[in-house]
Structures are given as structure tokens and as C-alpha cells.
Amino acid sequence: AQSVTQPDIHITVSEGASLELRCNYSYGATPYLFWYVQSPGQGLQLLLKYFSGDTLVQGIKGFEAEFKRSQSSFNLRKPSVHWSDAAEYFCAVVPNYGGSQGNLIFGKGTKLSVKP
Amino acid sequence: DAGVIQSPRHEVTEMGQEVTLRCKPISGHDYLFWYRQTMMRGLELLIYFNNNVPIDDSGMPEDRFSAKMPNASFSTLKIQPSEPRDSAVYFCASSNPGYPETQYFGPGTRLLVL
């Protein structure tokens, strides 16, 4: 079945440490790929997206993500985490086939806690 | 620029009552999406519109749910009658012409049905 998997429900990192959040998808063709962040009580904010081209994409707030076709992965990274990064992070895909248009399919999310 | 606006931000109602959620998309956007977020099911697309026309409503859970978009700047999601299992956060999102995939979300409406 087509799906988006975020294997880590909750991750805790120390402030200043590096971060990697995992995302795997299972679609036949390379979908459009997104990472969103949701702060408590807030809506979702788009961090970055990948449609095609360079497999390393830069986003806002110092985040980046790398698309690896061979692993069907789109992991989110940040070299040095700040306390304000504590939030929930969602990976999402739009299947890249005719008629899919804007059907964003979300993973279950990874909650990030940051230790002082 | 104003983002997507949703009202109310919080709604508490009793089972059986009608609930109407409202959304104003970003000006110039021609796609509008309604999502529901629950702990059990995560974020789910309910319905989306393009140029005020419903394109895909396959995510609408049942006939108790209905959505309308009478013009480019306003949409409603209605639940009648409401049930406790409808308790969730409902998000509206909009996107630019030609780029339905890149969606901008509103702050959400937190609905509690008692």
C-alpha cells in the first residue's frame, strides 16, 4: 500500500546537537516531497520541498533534506538545533501521477524535544 | 500579507448540534483544502476545491459532513449532526494557481463535541 512512514514518534536532542528526522515513502514513481513543522497549537508551516533536480534541498530555519531514490527516503537534517525547534515535524508526499494534484499524504509525525 | 484565516479557533458543542467551520484562503490562491487532524489517524485530507469547484471529496467521512465554496475568498465545512468522534483539529489550506502541491495552512479550528 502507498504510505509515508516516519519511524520515530518522539526524539529528544540537546541544544546545539545535530538532528536527523527520518522519512520513507512507498510509491512507484518519485513523488513530490515535503517537510512541514507544527508548533503547539499552531498550523503547519512548510519547511522545504523537493520536486526534481538537486537531491539536497535547503529550507527555512536552517533545515535541509536529502532525497535518496535508492532508499525511498527524504530525511530532514539540521546541523545545530535551537530550543525554538521543539515542535512536531511532518513528512508529506504528493504522488506524482496524473490526477493527484494537491493530495498531500502525511506521515504520522515526529515530535522533537530539545534539552537545554 | 494575511495568511489563511480560520474561524472559530476553538469550538465546543454538544452532540447533535450543527457545527460550521469557516476559512478564508490567501488572496489569489485558487486551490483550497480541508484537513482533519486526530491522534489516531493523523492528518487526513477531507476535500479540496479548485476555482470554487469541489475536485475530490473522497476523504469526507460521511454524509454528516459537507463543504462549500461560494466564492474565491470563503469556504465552509459543516457537520450536522455532530458526534463526539468528530472532535479534532480542522485545518484549511490554500495554494497558488498551478502549484496545488505547495500548500499554506491556517491555524486550525479545535473542535470538541461533548
Side-chain angles (χ1 to χ4, degrees):
Chain A
Q2 298 175 335
S3 65
V4 180
T5 303
Q6 294 181 247
D8 305 304
I9 297 173
H10 189 186
I11 285 182
T12 300
V13 300
S14 297
E15 192 169 15
S18 64
L19 171 70
E20 183 168 24
L21 302 182
R22 296 182 290 165
C23 174
N24 294 94
Y25 63 89
S26 61
Y27 292 89
T30 300
Y32 299 148
L33 298 157
F34 304 81
W35 276 99
Y36 283 84
V37 60
Q38 184 180 26
S39 297
Q42 302 296 313
L44 282 79
Q45 182 181 21
L46 180 63
L47 285 176
L48 48 78
K49 58 188 177 184
Y50 173 79
F51 288 359
S52 64
D54 191 346
T55 56
L56 184 63
V57 294
Q58 302 297 319
I60 62 172
K61 304 186 179 189
F63 285 92
E64 66 179 26
E66 185 172 13
F67 167 61
K68 292 186 177 180
R69 185 189 308 275
S70 61
Q71 298 177 20
S72 296
S73 69
F74 188 58
N75 294 349
L76 182 71
R77 300 194 295 246
K78 186 170 185 177
S80 178
V81 169
H82 188 262
W83 65 267
S84 61
D85 294 324
E88 191 155 18
Y89 292 80
F90 292 91
C91 180
V93 307
V94 172
N96 190 4
Y97 54 81
S100 61
Q101 301 218 2
N103 294 17
L104 269 174
I105 299 170
F106 286 88
K108 294 293 189 184
T110 297
K111 184 176 181 180
L112 173 66
S113 297
V114 180
K115 291 189 299 184
Chain B
D1 289 338
V4 175
I5 299 172
Q6 292 187 247
S7 64
R9 292 294 309 276
H10 301 273
E11 177 82 30
V12 181
T13 190
E14 293 187 345
M15 183 174 62
Q17 296 298 305
E18 178 179 293
V19 175
T20 300
L21 311 182
R22 298 173 176 79
C23 175
K24 177 179 170 55
I26 294 171
S27 177
H29 284 192
D30 67 351
Y31 282 89
L32 184 138
F33 305 82
W34 282 101
Y35 290 88
R36 179 172 66 176
Q37 184 179 37
T38 62
M39 290 292 292
M40 291 297 295
R41 300 174 67 89
L43 273 156
E44 304 172 283
L45 177 66
L46 299 177
I47 184 171
Y48 77 93
F49 297 82
N50 181 219
N51 290 320
N52 313 335
V53 176
I55 303 300
D56 185 351
D57 65 354
S58 60
M60 295 286 264
E62 49 196 275
D63 291 345
R64 297 185 297 106
F65 285 70
S66 62
K68 293 182 180 180
M69 192 164 186
N71 57 62
S73 59
F74 183 66
S75 176
T76 60
L77 178 68
K78 187 174 292 187
I79 308 173
Q80 167 64 17
S82 58
E83 297 182 3
R85 60 192 168 120
D86 301 330
S87 298
V89 182
Y90 292 82
F91 289 103
C92 176
S94 67
S95 58
N96 276 311
Y99 297 94
E101 306 87 1
T102 304
Q103 298 171 23
Y104 298 86
F105 283 73
T109 295
R110 187 172 296 273
L111 173 65
L112 177 61
V113 182
L114 302 174

